[in-house]
Amino acid sequence: MSVRRPVAWTVAVVLFAEAVGVAALNWFLGIVVDRQDMSLAGLDPDTMSVSSKIGGVVFGLYFALCALVSLLVALRDRAPAGLGRILLISAAVVHGLLGAFTWGLVGPGAFLFMIVVLGLIVLLLMTYDSRQEPAAGQRPEGGKGDDGSPLSPPPAPTTP
């Protein structure tokens, strides 16, 4: 049994939950800043409030898009390609950076969560590595690949 699909489903669920959590947290922080009506280094409180809300929506949509890519990987059971692969790699980098920041700012629990999500995303990317050769017993019969092309080039003709 392969772990590829369960990992892809898990990453999709975690990233969707994280998308909602990040958007809600930033929206809440925007409301708090707006109600306090205080300035930070001369910045307008309304600008800080709106910026927090916009940032939450943007990052929430980003994580939701990454979760959608993972969901498509789980449904199709195929490796992410192109923009989807780039999105998942960038999400892994973001979780690595957030993990580094959360250790000092929030604590080890948040760090552990970020590193677990980072590990899940990397596991998803590695289990669907398209460059892996199939095992000797799993090669298609007839020497043909999935697209019908020969797996190895035909031998060169010999002349007498």
Side-chain angles (χ1 to χ4, degrees), residues 106-119:
V106 181
F111 169 78
L112 184 62
F113 173 77
M114 289 297 162
I115 297 306
V116 166
V117 176
L118 167 66

Side-chain angles (χ1 to χ4, degrees), residues 46-101:
D46 292 330
T47 304
M48 291 190 308
S49 173
V50 170
S51 299
S52 177
K53 291 176 183 176
I54 290 173
V57 169
V58 167
F59 272 105
L61 289 175
Y62 166 70
F63 286 135
L65 186 60
C66 292
L68 179 64
V69 169
S70 179
L71 181 65
L72 291 175
V73 167
L75 291 174
R76 295 177 181 166
D77 199 20
R78 287 196 332 231
L83 181 62
R85 187 167 184 86
I86 292 170
L87 276 171
L88 288 176
I89 290 170
S90 70
V93 170
V94 165
H95 281 86
L97 291 171
L98 286 175
F101 288 126

Side-chain angles (χ1 to χ4, degrees), residues 83-158:
L83 181 62
R85 187 167 184 86
I86 292 170
L87 276 171
L88 288 176
I89 290 170
S90 70
V93 170
V94 165
H95 281 86
L97 291 171
L98 286 175
F101 288 126
T102 56
W103 179 269
L105 297 175
V106 181
F111 169 78
L112 184 62
F113 173 77
M114 289 297 162
I115 297 306
V116 166
V117 176
L118 167 66
L120 283 171
I121 294 171
V122 169
L123 185 61
L124 169 68
L125 290 168
M126 296 304 292
T127 56
Y128 281 100
D129 190 7
S130 60
R131 293 174 289 156
Q132 288 180 343
E133 285 292 319
Q138 296 178 346
R139 286 202 157 199
E141 294 194 21
K144 302 273 186 196
D146 290 338
D147 59 354
S149 63
L151 290 175
S152 59
T158 57

